[in-house]
Amino acid sequence: MCRNIKTLFNFEPPATEDEIQASALQFVRKLSGFNKPSQANQAAFERAVEEVSRAARKLLASLHTHAPARDRDIEAEKARERSRARFG
């Protein structure tokens, strides 16, 4: 599951709220072992996703770099090429 979490820092355009939320959801799924929690665990699961999202937004806002921002399309093509090389 965590392989689906993508780097969100130093991209142009910056990470969207949906991307941050999706990465938080994948992280909480990995930690909990639940893809979809039971009703008994739903509130705790959703609270964890929101807290991780909040922490991720805070982290992304506080990071600094002198490196030029990476282009999403170029990075996506590099990932596709790595996948083709690995899986054929």
Side-chain angles (χ1 to χ4, degrees), residues 18-62:
D18 286 343
E19 290 172 316
I20 293 170
Q21 188 74 15
S23 69
L25 176 61
Q26 287 294 346
F27 183 73
V28 173
R29 282 177 174 169
K30 184 66 172 183
L31 287 178
S32 68
F34 299 136
N35 190 34
K36 184 174 184 329
S38 66
Q39 285 184 324
N41 293 318
Q42 185 69 34
F45 188 88
E46 290 175 2
R47 188 171 45 253
V49 171
E50 183 51 42
E51 289 173 3
V52 170
S53 293
R54 192 175 314 117
R57 281 191 298 277
K58 225 168 134 175
L59 173 65
L60 291 172
S62 66

Side-chain angles (χ1 to χ4, degrees), residues 1 5 12 18-19 21-23 27 35 40 48-49 54-55 61 63-65 67 72-73 78 80 85:
M1 277 190 270
I5 298 175
E12 193 57 49
D18 286 343
E19 290 172 316
Q21 188 74 15
S23 69
F27 183 73
N35 190 34
V49 171
R54 192 175 314 117
L63 294 174
H64 300 283
T65 184
R72 291 178 181 281
D73 294 331
K78 287 179 187 176
R80 284 190 290 275

